Amino acid sequence: MSLIEASGLCKTYQAGDIAVKAINEVNFNIDVGSFVSFVGPSGSGKSTLLNMIGCLDSPSCGELHVAGTDVSSLDQKQAAIFRGENIGFVFQDFNLIPVLSVYENVEYPLIMVQNWPAAKRRKQVMELLDAVGMKEQADKLPSQLSGGQKQRVAIARALVTNAKLVLADEPTANLDSVTAHRVIELMKSMREKFNTTFIFSTHDPKIMAEAEVTYTLVDGSIENKEEVAS
Amino acid sequence: MINILKIASKNLMRYRRRTILTTLLITIGIVAVLLFISLSGSFRALMVGQITDSMLGHVQIHKKGYVASIESLPLTLNMKPAMVEKVTGYLSERDDIEAWTTRVKFGAMFSNFKETTSIRFNSIDPEMEIATSPLLPGRLIEGDRKAAFVEPGKIVIPELIAKGLKVKVGDSIVIVATNREGSVNGNTFMIRGVLEGISGPGGRDGYMHIDDARNLLRMEDTEISEIAIRLKSSKALSKIHKEMNTYFGQFNNKAGKPAFDVHTWEKLSPFSNIAKMIDMLDVFIKVMLVAIVLISIMNVMLMAVYERINEIGTIAAIGTIPSRILSLFVTEGLLLGILGAFIGSVISFTIVYIMNVKTISFSFGRQENLVLQPTLAINEVLIISGVVILVSVLASLQPAWKASRMDPIEALRHF
């Protein structure tokens, strides 16, 4: 069953008088619970594609359905609500809020996005922190954590709303290879535990080998799709 | 909402020095405004009290045209007994009036048997006068303040004449006056007191008993030049003045024109212009406060938005709707306003309390050792604090709006 269906998807930017095609009529389907990577050199369109899947940007043409919703025509508020209900994000620079503790960072989407009651929030946050191995660090501030720990917290924050899909743009770019491998392993185990679809972009060959499905992007087009039997 | 408040307060604390400086600026502004209002209000109330309680009363009623000619104190514009009865009858029925006094005012010649000068007299019933102008005996700089203010045959003269003609309490002098028919009459009086001068109309007048004035002026009727009224509460002045105007406006003279003039002290005393200036200064300093709060909050919130662009991108990306982002930043401005208003109010109350304990006195004109008793009305503090908080919210709206409308992709790229 497909979680994401893209058909004839394209994105064109206007750079002065020149129209730049960042994504050029790509087609792909991504199944529920899959572990997918988009790889390619800088400027190949990985981030643009993830932004469109994550409803942060809208396509210039084609169709894009995420979790059964045509996301190409959502306005700013509708897109925010859709993201809050369906999508979690993991960023290259972790993007934790520096003044909030680990616990509060993970709790943040439940307060600001979904408005869960306090008791339910606490249970969910502690469960996620336990799952990513950060329960003991719940009261620490992001500045007291290592890069790998920060990314674990970011993964917990992405999953805390029971997101169907987690998008991770270069999630290991700022980590050493050992930590990067552990983060990818954690994402995989979270996929197993919560049946969440993970899509990440990378240009690190070791990391892309971890994905079950890998799409290679070149100049905005999908040049290759590689599947690894699980 | 509580969670947004928590997050907003944590955000403020991340830039602790900036938050403290902004709060300090708002606090200083609030303290300056509240202290100015408190002191100017105290000064105003003191001076108004001096004027109304020692001379003018709160309201005065005259025959139409008398006030316009008051410099010459025309006896021909006195109220006849029938008019006086109309006024006193009306005043007796009102329960918001504490007292009133009837006065005959006239100009005369004052002689110490060697020199002569002109003088103006208020002739009064001392009991009615003191009930209406309770601070009048306090203006006596010579003579017994506890004795009857004036008695038949004994007068009170202004300090200027006492000094100019070198007369003192106990001296005999002669008063010569012309009555409304043009006849001149003179009587001998004894000086029982000397009255300090005070700025404004009547501030240099002498006082004599009303029976002496009727005798001197050979009045057959109980004519009255003016009726001064003291209200139970000066706060009701404009309401009562309006009602009196309406009531006395129904009486016309033979020419079909209004028979009475009803004036508040504000219309009769030049100090009302000073009071208006104080009110204008109050408004000016409040506007300054609004400007200080507006600029400081807007500045600090714009900086907060600029410094947190990447963070705004993150919270937008994870699904925070624009109105929530807006409310987060507005709450930060709101908290700054509340904090500044609260601390400023507490400091202001403390300073006002200390000023009352320490006793601040000053001189105004010839009056010395006037004691300022600054007070802060709760409603005034609430209004000013409310305005500051409202302005804080308004000032943070533009930066908050900017934050809420940011493109998440652009914001996430910002470092």
Side-chain angles (χ1 to χ4, degrees):
Chain A
M1 191 179 134
S2 290
L3 179 72
I4 301 166
E5 293 171 8
S7 164
L9 198 62
C10 65
K11 181 70 187 178
T12 308
Y13 292 109
Q14 203 66 32
D17 295 334
I18 304 163
V20 180
K21 277 200 165 183
I23 297 293
N24 191 10
E25 294 190 19
V26 298
N27 303 290
F28 60 89
N29 286 351
I30 293 174
D31 292 338
V32 171
S34 53
F35 200 72
V36 179
S37 70
F38 283 96
V39 301
S42 291
S44 59
K46 304 186 295 290
S47 296
T48 304
L49 197 55
L50 287 191
N51 286 340
M52 285 194 287
I53 295 169
C55 306
L56 294 171
D57 205 354
S58 52
S60 304
C61 64
E63 284 184 16
L64 178 62
H65 287 82
V66 179
T69 301
D70 179 3
V71 297
S72 53
S73 56
L74 299 179
D75 63 22
Q76 190 186 11
K77 187 180 174 184
Q78 289 168 332
I81 293 169
F82 185 82
R83 286 196 300 272
E85 288 172 352
N86 298 285
I87 305 172
F89 287 87
V90 176
F91 302 98
Q92 179 179 332
D93 296 300
F94 326 120
N95 290 24
L96 300 178
I97 296 169
V99 290
L100 301 182
S101 67
V102 164
Y103 178 90
E104 289 165 333
N105 262 288
V106 179
E107 187 189 32
Y108 195 89
L110 300 181
I111 294 171
M112 293 294 279
V113 180
Q114 297 204 346
N115 209 13
W116 284 27
K120 194 177 168 193
R121 270 200 322 260
R122 179 155 191 84
K123 185 171 177 289
Q124 177 81 347
V125 173
M126 292 315 287
E127 194 178 317
L128 259 301
L129 285 177
D130 192 28
V132 299
M134 291 297 292
K135 198 175 176 181
E136 301 304 316
Q137 324 288 329
D139 295 328
K140 286 188 176 172
L141 289 172
S143 57
Q144 297 170 296
L145 304 178
S146 67
Q149 287 175 318
K150 284 178 189 171
Q151 205 59 302
R152 283 169 179 269
V153 177
I155 290 166
R157 180 179 67 184
L159 289 166
V160 77
T161 56
N162 297 324
K164 296 183 179 79
L165 169 67
V166 171
L167 296 171
D169 192 4
E170 305 272 7
T172 57
N174 284 344
L175 302 174
D176 62 74
S177 58
V178 176
T179 311
H181 184 73
R182 284 184 186 152
V183 166
I184 294 296
E185 285 304 313
L186 175 67
M187 284 163 61
K188 266 187 172 173
S189 69
M190 293 297 107
R191 188 275 306 266
E192 300 298 333
K193 188 172 172 74
F194 300 109
N195 196 33
T196 308
T197 306
F198 276 79
I199 302 176
F200 61 97
S201 67
T202 185
H203 54 257
D204 182 343
K206 285 181 188 167
I207 298 302
M208 68 181 77
E210 303 279 352
E212 291 161 1
V213 180
T214 301
Y215 290 96
T216 305
L217 282 167
V218 176
D219 294 335
S221 299
I222 293 176
E223 197 181 75
N224 184 35
K225 177 186 176 187
E226 192 177 337
E227 290 187 58
V228 178
S230 50
Chain B
M1 187 62 200
I2 291 168
N3 289 311
I4 287 185
L5 278 170
K6 274 185 197 167
I7 294 168
S9 59
K10 286 197 176 195
N11 283 333
L12 287 176
M13 282 301 104
R14 79 167 81 178
Y15 308 110
R16 194 163 296 176
R17 188 182 301 170
R18 189 191 302 162
T19 300
I20 290 170
L21 284 175
T22 309
T23 308
L24 193 65
L25 196 62
I26 297 170
T27 301
I28 290 169
I30 292 245
V31 171
V33 169
L34 289 178
L35 288 188
F36 182 83
I37 287 172
S38 165
L39 284 169
S40 66
S42 164
F43 173 75
R44 189 183 191 281
L46 186 69
M47 298 319 298
V48 170
Q50 286 284 318
I51 289 164
T52 58
D53 296 356
S54 70
M55 197 163 48
L56 291 179
H58 294 114
V59 181
Q60 288 191 357
I61 299 176
H62 303 88
K63 186 174 180 179
K64 186 78 179 176
Y66 185 87
V67 171
S69 318
I70 201 161
E71 280 305 310
S72 60
L73 301 176
L75 294 168
T76 51
L77 287 175
N78 280 350
M79 288 182 272
K80 295 287 185 188
M83 292 179 79
V84 176
E85 271 178 39
K86 275 197 179 89
V87 177
T88 55
Y90 172 79
L91 295 178
S92 339
E93 284 173 12
R94 293 198 68 122
D95 56 5
D96 47 9
I97 287 168
E98 191 169 308
W100 74 83
T101 183
T102 51
R103 297 168 181 161
V104 174
K105 297 166 84 85
F106 64 97
M109 297 304 290
F110 178 103
S111 172
N112 63 356
F113 304 105
K114 289 178 188 170
E115 294 174 273
T116 302
T117 189
S118 64
I119 187 169
R120 296 154 60 98
F121 272 107
N122 287 308
S123 48
I124 55 166
D125 174 314
E127 282 185 15
M128 291 173 77
E129 185 67 27
I130 300 309
T132 309
S133 310
L135 298 183
L136 185 57
R139 284 175 57 204
L140 280 175
I141 53 175
E142 285 180 38
D144 186 0
R145 289 181 178 180
K146 289 177 183 167
F149 191 70
V150 285
E151 293 175 69
K154 294 180 180 177
I155 62 169
V156 172
I157 62 166
E159 186 184 4
L160 271 178
I161 288 180
K163 281 186 176 171
L165 270 70
K166 297 185 179 64
V167 289
K168 59 184 183 305
V169 171
D171 288 355
S172 289
I173 51 91
V174 173
I175 300 293
V176 179
T178 306
N179 74 0
R180 62 186 294 167
E181 281 80 29
S183 306
V184 178
N185 191 28
N187 280 342
T188 304
F189 293 90
M190 192 181 85
I191 299 172
R192 70 73 81 208
V194 176
L195 205 59
E196 73 166 349
I198 190 170
S199 54
R204 293 173 180 181
D205 290 3
Y207 285 83
M208 73 164 57
H209 198 281
I210 197 162
D211 293 343
D212 285 341
R214 288 191 177 126
N215 184 30
L216 184 66
L217 298 170
R218 292 174 181 165
M219 284 180 174
E220 289 173 6
D221 295 329
T222 51
E223 293 178 17
I224 294 297
S225 307
E226 77 183 15
I227 297 172
I229 300 156
R230 178 177 172 77
L231 307 179
K232 283 184 177 165
S233 167
S234 60
K235 288 176 184 166
L237 178 63
S238 62
K239 175 182 165 278
I240 294 172
H241 176 239
K242 198 176 172 186
E243 288 169 6
M244 285 185 177
N245 252 338
T246 307
Y247 177 77
F248 290 110
Q250 66 185 318
F251 300 109
N252 290 333
N253 58 22
K254 286 175 187 168
K257 293 186 174 172
F260 294 99
D261 261 341
V262 182
H263 290 108
T264 62
W265 71 270
E266 291 159 324
K267 291 282 178 190
L268 299 167
S269 168
F271 182 77
S272 64
N273 291 326
I274 298 175
K276 279 177 193 159
M277 278 179 62
I278 292 172
D279 292 344
M280 277 181 66
L281 281 172
D282 277 2
V283 172
F284 176 74
I285 198 164
K286 283 174 188 168
V287 170
M288 292 288 287
L289 173 69
V290 166
I292 287 170
V293 174
L294 194 74
I295 292 167
S296 58
I297 298 266
M298 194 176 257
N299 181 47
V300 80
M301 293 312 299
L302 277 171
M303 285 181 75
V305 169
Y306 182 77
E307 286 169 357
R308 282 152 57 191
I309 289 176
N310 187 264
E311 187 179 311
I312 293 164
T314 305
I315 63 173
I318 64 174
T320 311
I321 56 173
S323 61
R324 279 253 160 152
I325 298 174
L326 184 121
S327 67
L328 180 64
F329 281 88
V330 169
T331 306
E332 288 177 28
L334 174 78
L335 286 177
L336 278 174
I338 289 174
L339 198 63
F342 177 74
I343 298 172
S345 301
V346 170
I347 292 174
S348 301
F349 273 119
T350 309
I351 294 175
V352 166
Y353 174 76
I354 292 168
M355 283 198 290
N356 276 301
V357 170
K358 294 281 180 190
T359 309
I360 301 170
S361 60
F362 73 105
S363 300
F364 183 73
R366 299 168 66 92
Q367 297 171 79
E368 292 178 352
N369 293 324
L370 294 171
V371 177
L372 273 183
Q373 291 177 310
T375 54
L376 271 179
I378 291 287
N379 63 339
E380 186 84 52
V381 175
L382 288 177
I383 288 170
I384 287 170
S385 299
V387 167
V388 164
I389 292 165
L390 181 69
V391 170
S392 303
V393 169
L394 291 176
S396 50
L397 268 180
Q398 194 273 342
W401 177 261
K402 190 178 170 184
S404 71
R405 297 291 136 182
M406 265 180 200
D407 176 7
I409 299 172
E410 291 297 321
L412 284 166
R413 280 184 195 144
H414 190 274
F415 287 99

